[in-house]
Amino acid sequence: MIKSICKATSQDKNVVVRFHDKVIRYEVDSSEMAQDVSNLINKKNVLELSEIWDTLFESINQYKKQIA
């Protein structure tokens, strides 16, 4: 299996996704949500920079379903 090219972390209420030379920050509702969403992103296999937005929003939706 090919390893994901990104690493997600949380910083305050932001999900921070790092690529080779790019950093994407996305503010969410809480620091707990940021941590959980970053963990969900890290479990997925993101191979291209163009996939990250879909992965980010899928992870946010997955988190919201889990807490509902």
Side-chain angles (χ1 to χ4, degrees), residues 16-68:
V16 181
V17 184
R18 300 182 197 294
F19 292 91
H20 302 289
D21 59 346
K22 308 257 188 274
V23 176
I24 295 172
R25 294 178 191 274
Y26 189 81
E27 187 173 343
V28 293
D29 298 334
S30 68
S31 58
E32 179 184 327
M33 182 179 181
Q35 180 64 48
D36 289 347
V37 169
S38 66
N39 288 339
L40 290 170
I41 291 171
N42 286 331
K43 291 178 182 177
K44 298 182 183 208
N45 199 19
V46 180
L47 301 177
E48 295 182 23
L49 181 61
S50 61
E51 295 176 357
I52 192 53
W53 289 110
D54 289 338
T55 304
L56 176 63
F57 293 122
E58 286 172 9
S59 297
I60 289 171
N61 288 335
Q62 184 178 349
Y63 169 80
K64 288 181 178 181
K65 287 178 185 174
Q66 287 176 353
I67 64 166

